[in-house]
Amino acid sequence: MKIRALIFDLDGVLVSTEHNHFIAWQKTAQTLGIEFTEVHNELLKGVSRIDSLKKILELGKKVISEDYFNQLLQEKNNFYLESIQNLSQDHLLKGVLNLLVKAKNEGLKLAVGSSSKNAKHILQLVGIMEYFDTIIDGNDLTFPKPHPEVFLKGAHLLDCQPDECIVFEDALSGIKAAKEGRFIAIGVGNPTLKNETQLYLDDLTQFRLEDYA
Ligand code: B16
Ligand code: MG
């Protein structure tokens, strides 16, 4: 089957923002008196903001009021947004720009499929918004990753079947979503995914479009 579209996760695939999420969640966990390491953070990658805080609370076996829960979500996002305010094209991950240009020239359709409600803001900061035919983000979703809704909506808007689309993901939740939706799933930039996908790449410079298009 010829590939007609590429669907990119945002945080950790296009832009190096995963560490900012980690630092912001670590601050939240500290406020709650919960130990939170990079290993714990692996479970949060690709996971929605609400589900991330639920997972941190489960980790610390804590129960908090709804008001405090919402306050912590707001504080985490404020801290995260502050930490990415100087984001620029320099924060695009290796190989991103070349692949976007090449895929566009080949006539492929391009989409972003992200859990983040900040996705459009980030794409604007790093200056690659205009490459994408459609952007599905956390604001468009009823079911967060690992549910395939994000990628199925993307494929639908691109008028493509899942098996005509490659999904690039850095998170286990996203790989599960892509596989569940019957997309071609490629793991990028996260060695813990090596055994989870047919193809794993350290970064997008290693992707050979000519093998698919
Ligand atoms: P926000 P992705 C995900 O984005 C991140 O991997 C995850 O760490 C974050 O919690 C989630 O977005 C929600 O982000 O708080 O900005 O709405 O990897 O799916 O592009
Ligand atoms: Mg990601």
Side-chain angles (χ1 to χ4, degrees):
M1 173 81 65
K2 195 168 150 42
I3 288 304
R4 294 177 55 220
L6 305 181
I7 305 181
F8 297 86
D9 171 60
L10 176 71
D11 297 301
V13 169
L14 295 175
V15 190
S16 60
T17 37
E18 269 310 345
H19 192 68
N20 299 75
H21 278 295
F22 168 56
I23 297 297
W25 282 130
Q26 203 172 40
K27 197 169 171 338
T28 308
Q30 213 166 22
T31 308
L32 289 161
I34 298 171
E35 197 202 356
F36 184 73
T37 65
E38 297 227 32
V39 175
H40 299 132
N41 188 56
E42 209 47 55
L43 301 171
L44 267 51
K45 285 186 180 171
V47 171
S48 72
R49 201 179 305 166
I50 288 178
D51 286 349
S52 297
L53 183 51
K54 283 184 186 164
K55 281 182 191 282
I56 291 173
L57 290 166
E58 269 169 33
L59 189 71
K61 297 186 175 56
K62 293 239 169 182
V63 178
I64 60 173
S65 71
E66 198 181 326
D67 282 355
Y68 190 38
F69 187 94
N70 290 330
Q71 182 194 322
L72 288 175
L73 288 183
Q74 192 60 57
E75 283 172 7
K76 184 270 174 178
N77 197 48
N78 292 345
F79 184 78
Y80 172 67
L81 287 177
E82 213 177 290
S83 81
I84 59 160
Q85 63 185 344
N86 295 324
L87 216 61
S88 70
Q89 263 201 10
D90 299 344
H91 298 88
L92 285 176
L93 286 162
K94 260 173 92 180
V96 168
L97 216 44
N98 276 348
L99 178 55
L100 294 178
V101 171
K102 202 169 163 183
K104 266 269 177 252
N105 287 342
E106 295 284 327
L108 293 184
K109 294 183 179 179
L110 302 179
V112 171
S114 168
S115 300
S116 175
K117 293 188 170 178
N118 298 304
K120 289 189 177 127
H121 172 59
I122 292 171
L123 288 166
Q124 240 145 17
L125 286 177
V126 297
I128 55 170
M129 191 88 150
E130 71 277 11
Y131 285 95
F132 298 100
D133 300 289
T134 189
I135 294 160
I136 311 295
D137 67 23
N139 301 295
D140 306 311
L141 302 176
T142 310
F143 307 107
K145 296 173 188 174
H147 193 284
E149 183 186 16
V150 59
F151 300 129
L152 290 173
K153 275 197 168 170
H156 179 71
L157 289 169
L158 295 177
D159 201 18
C160 291
Q161 295 303 312
D163 62 359
E164 296 175 310
C165 308
I166 293 177
V167 168
F168 296 95
E169 257 295 345
D170 74 314
L172 186 57
S173 59
I175 291 292
K176 283 184 179 166
K179 281 184 177 171
E180 176 78 22
R182 303 188 175 277
F183 291 84
I184 300 165
I186 297 187
V188 189
N190 179 351
T192 70
L193 298 178
K194 275 184 183 163
N195 298 324
E196 307 294 336
T197 51
Q198 287 155 296
L199 184 62
Y200 170 77
L201 311 170
D202 288 322
D203 60 58
L204 288 175
T205 61
Q206 296 175 350
F207 179 65
R208 289 169 47 89
L209 186 58
E210 50 279 20
D211 290 348
Y212 297 89

